[in-house]
């Protein structure tokens, strides 16, 4: 059974940083694309960042230059380093993985999802 388990969320002041982790189990994703999405209350789930199996990364325009996605294939884990956080980025952050190796910014294209971790940015 495939599981994705996020951790690292919490409360941070505006301008602060958090590092999210997502540990995968049940299968290896070393040749799969993995990504992060977020969903704020009353809003649709939105793309944040993704990485393909070769390490190419893509980001939503709103987080470019502040967020960094990275992977540790040996640990079957993906990370999201978030810097200069803004109050409007308060949301539940979800880790996702695809069976495919190439990336996508569409949630519908991801096959596996974690339960999410809450990130709250205070002003």
């Amino acid at each position: 059974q495939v599981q994705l388990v996020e951790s690292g969320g919490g409360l941070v002041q505006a301008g602060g940083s958090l590092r999210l982790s997502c540990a995968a189990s049940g299968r290896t994703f070393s040749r799969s694309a993995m990504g992060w999405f977020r969903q704020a209350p009353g809003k649709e789930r939105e793309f944040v960042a993704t990485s393909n199996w070769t390490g190419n990364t893509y980001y939503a325009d709103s987080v470019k230059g502040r967020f960094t996605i990275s992977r540790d294939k040996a640990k079957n884990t993906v990370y999201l380093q978030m810097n200069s956080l803004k109050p409007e980025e308060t949301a539940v952050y979800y880790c996702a993985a695809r069976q495919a190796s190439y990336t996508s910014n569409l949630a519908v294209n991801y096959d596996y999802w974690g339960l999410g971790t809450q990130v709250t940015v205070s002003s």
Side-chain angles (χ1 to χ4, degrees), residues 29-117:
F29 290 101
S30 60
R31 290 185 175 269
S32 301
M34 298 186 75
W36 289 93
F37 290 75
R38 64 189 179 191
Q39 187 167 18
K43 295 188 176 181
E44 292 187 353
R45 192 167 298 191
E46 66 172 356
F47 166 73
V48 176
T50 183
S51 170
N52 71 6
W53 73 282
T54 64
N56 292 326
T57 57
Y58 303 91
Y59 299 92
D61 288 342
S62 60
V63 307
K64 282 180 182 176
R66 299 185 297 117
F67 289 16
T68 303
I69 186 171
S70 61
R71 298 173 65 166
D72 185 331
K73 293 181 180 179
K75 295 183 178 180
N76 219 18
T77 299
V78 62
Y79 305 95
L80 185 67
Q81 176 67 43
M82 305 185 295
N83 299 328
S84 302
L85 281 160
K86 306 174 182 179
E88 56 265 36
E89 294 179 312
T90 293
V92 177
Y93 283 69
Y94 296 92
C95 171
R98 304 190 67 190
Q99 296 184 24
S101 61
Y102 49 94
T103 60
S104 173
N105 63 353
L106 299 177
V108 68
N109 287 337
Y110 286 79
D111 303 294
Y112 306 100
W113 291 86
L115 295 179
T117 185

